[in-house]
Structure formats: C-alpha cells, structure tokens
Amino acid sequence: MHDQQQGSAELDPFPVVRRWPGWILAAIGLAMILGGALLASAIQTSGGTRVSDIRFRGADGTEMSALLYVPANASQATPAPGILAVHGYINSREMQDGFAIEFARRGYVVLAMDQTGHGYSGGKAFSNGFGGPDGLAYLRSLPFVDKDQIGLEGHSMGGWTVLAAAAAMPDAYRAIVLEGSSTGAPYAKEGTPAWPRNLGLVYSRYDEFSQLMWGTSRALDVGQSAKLKQLFGTADTVQAGKLYGSIPAGTARYLVQPSTTHPGDHFSTAAIGAATDWFARTLSGGNPRPAGDQIWYWKEIGTGIGLLGFVPLVLGLFDLLLALPFFASLQGNAVAAIPARDARWWRRAVIAAGVPALTFFPVFIAIFLLLPATTFLPQTVTTQVAAWALVGAGITWLFGRRSLVARGPQADWLKTILIALAVTAIAYLVLAVVQRVLVTDLRFWVVAIKPPSARQWLIALIYVVPITLAFLVTGRVLRSLTVAGDRAVARYASAMLVLSGGFAVLLGLVYGIFFATDMLVTGFDPLTTVIAIQFVPVLATVAAVMTFAWSRTGSHRSGSVLAGMLVTLYVVAGTATQG
C-alpha cells in the first residue's frame, strides 16, 4: 500500500477523465513512426536512388559509418559524379539528408559520412582529419563513381572535415562547398586564392559562429573579413553572388548568404539550392535540375511525424506494462499537492522554470574549461548535460525544499527501474527495426532520436545515474506544483511550461535581439547557444512523460527514472565522443 501524501486528504482529486487505453496510444505511436518512416524512405529513394547503411575501414583500422546514396544512373559502365557530404560537430550523417537527397536526385553518388567519434563511426572526435581523408578515399574506390568528378560538401566542422580531405588529397576532387564553415584556424588549412579548388561558400546572414569562423562580430559582415578577402584574392569587400577567379582554372570563389542561422542551413531551401547550383556549375555529368526543384523537406516531415509518434509509443508501452500483474502494484491515485494556483505556486513555478535556463551557460562553460573528456567521462556535451541537470536540480531543491518535504506515494524501486528499462528497450527496438529496414531515424531539424551503437550503450551506463538523479528531483518539483481540480490539458500544459518555459523565454530574447540587430548576445559561446535550442522540445516532452506516469502511479519515481533513461540515450547517441 502506498503511503498517502502528507496534508493531501483535504484536497479534491483530479476530475475523472476518459483515458485512452495503452494499446491505443502505442498503436497511434507505431502508426506515426512507420507511416513517417515510409514517407521518408520514399523521398530519399525518389527516382530509383538506393540508400545503404555502410561501414568501411579508415586510418588505423577505425571503423567508419556512412549512408551511401546511389542514383539510378550510376553504374560501373556509366560512372556518376560523387560527393562527400559531412555533418557538423555533435551531429550525425542523417543531418545532411537534405543535401544528400538533392545531390542524388541530380545524379550524384553521395557518401554522407559520420565523422570520427560521431554517430556510428569509431575513434575519437577530431581524430584522423575528422575522418575526411578516409571518406574521400572510400568514395573514390567505388567503381560506379567518376573519379574525375568529385565534389566535397561540409557543414560547420564538416567543412573542416572535407578541407582535411582536400589537403590530404589535393588532386582528388574538383569543387567544394562549405556551409557555415571556414578555411584556416582553428582546425583547417589556411585558404588562398588557389586553394581549395573551386570553392562555394554558403554563409548565412545570421550564422552564430561568424567570430570563430571569419573573425567578424556579425555574419552579415563576413564579406569584410580579412581572411575571406585573402581566400577570394581581393582587397575589396567580397560581394555575395559575384564569381571570383576561374572555374576551369580551379580558382573559382563564390559567396551566398541565405537569411537563416547556422543550424538553419539544414532547413533552408536557399542554402541547399546554393550547394546544388555550385556543383552543377563545377562538376560535369549528373542530371541537372533547377536549384529550386527540391523535395527533401517531405522526408523531414516524415521523420518529424515519426519523432512525434515516439511519445505516444512510450506512453502506451508504459500503460500496457503497468497493467501486467508484476507491475500492477505500481498503480496508484494521483493526488494534487496544493489546492489552488496562488502566488506561492507562481513563485515556485518561476524558480523551477528559470533555474535551468539561467544555469545552462555557466555550467556548460565551466565543464568545458575545467573537465576535459576522459575515458571515464568520454563525451564532453553529455558531461555538461549531466552536470547542468544536477546543478539545476540542486538549486531548485534548495529554493523549494519546504514544499518537497511531503514525499507522497512512493513506488517500489526495483519495479520502477524495471518498467522504465522495459519501456526504453521496447521503444528502441522499434527504432532499430525501422532504421534497419527503411534506413531512417526519427528527427526534425536539430532534434533526433536514433538507436545507439554498442559503444554508445556502454557510454550511457556512465551518465544514466547522475542524469536520472537530477530528474528524480525534477519529478518531485513537478508533483509539488500539481493543483487540485486541474483537467488533463491544464495539468500537462502547466508541467511543460514549467520545464521548458525558461528556455523558450531565454532563446526568444537571444534570437529576437539577434534577428533585430544582427548581434548575438551569447556570442561568447555560440555552440552552447545552438545546443540550447533542442532543450525546449526535449524538456517539454520530459514533462509530458513525467506527468503521464505520475497520473497512473501517484508517484514521481516511475516517470523520473524513465525520463532519465530516455534523455541519457538521446544525448549520448546524438553527440560526439572525445574520450
């Protein structure tokens, strides 16, 4: 029997609402995942393109991972031009889908590669030229690729990856597109009017990394960069849309500035169209199409539908397992913590929403400076997330510890952990099957859920405990803010706003100022700024999962443990391994 929450006897229970059975939720989730994956698969294989999940050996025997797009026109008898496409830091090969799909539709063989230490590639991040030379060598080894017509395309650190390939194999390619990237320091060879060969630079008007990449405080002013002028061989401001140098001589230079952000390059028809247009001008062969002829966003819609479907799948699985005799003892009545949404509630809610947002930058910067990756903490970003979660939970607990004294119903720890493990295992099995059969993950822009590699499963064991401990505190905070009489919509919306509202306000201010003035107020740490974007939907989803589990069990434990596992796998599978 669960103990009753102290002082809750006088509170009214929540209004009785009709609950959707777990099997309906799970079925809806499965239908959305499969339907979205089928749409995504149809788009990426449009026109007879074959998409394969491949592995190949790189330097020192490092296993490299890639998606290989082979258009119908490519064969050993009629080799097609090839393009090596590489994602940016703490992303994976699927992030280049928009580019890869449009390149393949235009008759190019595309190798969308995971950098070393990213995705399913082995090694450590930044090693072996980020994996770029190995990727180019593998692409050139394919018998259906025209070795005289090779293009290189990379976003952000992926630009440094393809520049490493160009430096290692200077005669192995004909043209290059840098998306939101740069030549020179800190990680690439310095550019000159003659190197790299035939460069198209797509650098957005609101790119967050302009200071790091080109030494300008505003991306809009990148044409005034001394480094860019040197690269383009001019003493004047570089003009977007003007061709510099000569394509036949290999010295061509071209700048395009779409009205988007650094991560927005992946979601911009202008940025993707600029890349396809540059290769149409610099590579021979293929099936030219107008730059505006694009369908990649339908794949993004498909994988986005699947991403949304993951939530009802998880909730449905939890409900189904909870009905089993073994887990039935976890069931309990959810009792509100307070009778009304008064001034005290708003004070607690503001603290709970504000602390995670306000501690995000300080903690991330401190961990980066003070705690480099090691064998025992091999992923810098995941270490940052774990530390930030613990710090935020600790501060929130200190501010609201009086309201958290009453613990309420407490579920059995063993069964709590087992049900969370079971839900996570089944949900990720579904992901693995979808990826295996249809060669796609679940994603929408910067948010992606993908099955971890064997290496990443082991890494997750390092981080799951601290992250889960933090969410146990968060779960108690959310339970302490439950209000008697709230209907389901108010209950879920309240929890989601508390967890994600602080980030929404912070990012709204940061990007509102950015778009209004062209100045990024968090320019001191643009990487953490970009990372923060995903935490608005992620924390909102965590709140929904926690609220659902609490409404079924009356305890915060099951939802907190489940959230800890899901968030750990989400972060570990989606970031870089440095240790």
Side-chain angles (χ1 to χ4, degrees), residues 406-496:
R407 293 176 176 270
Q410 297 304 309
D412 177 88
W413 274 117
L414 177 60
K415 292 183 180 180
T416 293
I417 294 171
L418 288 177
I419 196 171
L421 280 171
V423 170
T424 302
I426 297 170
Y428 270 84
L429 177 61
V430 171
L431 298 188
V433 171
V434 168
Q435 181 171 278
R436 178 78 174 183
V437 176
L438 297 174
V439 198
T440 185
D441 59 0
L442 310 183
R443 68 173 51 242
F444 189 80
W445 192 30
V446 296
V447 180
I449 302 175
K450 56 186 298 177
S453 65
R455 178 191 190 188
Q456 290 166 340
W457 278 107
L458 294 175
I459 292 173
L461 294 176
I462 298 171
Y463 293 102
V464 69
V465 172
I467 291 176
T468 302
L469 287 174
F471 277 118
L472 283 166
V473 175
T474 301
R476 287 188 64 191
V477 170
L478 288 182
R479 189 186 63 77
S480 74
L481 293 171
T482 53
V483 179
D486 270 358
R487 293 191 174 275
V489 172
R491 201 184 320 157
Y492 282 91
S494 175
M496 293 167 76

Side-chain angles (χ1 to χ4, degrees), residues 521-547:
V521 295
T522 55
F524 54 84
D525 192 355
L527 177 61
T528 299
T529 304
V530 171
I531 291 174
I533 295 171
Q534 63 193 297
F535 280 95
V536 175
V538 168
L539 290 177
T541 302
V542 165
V545 170
M546 286 181 167
T547 302

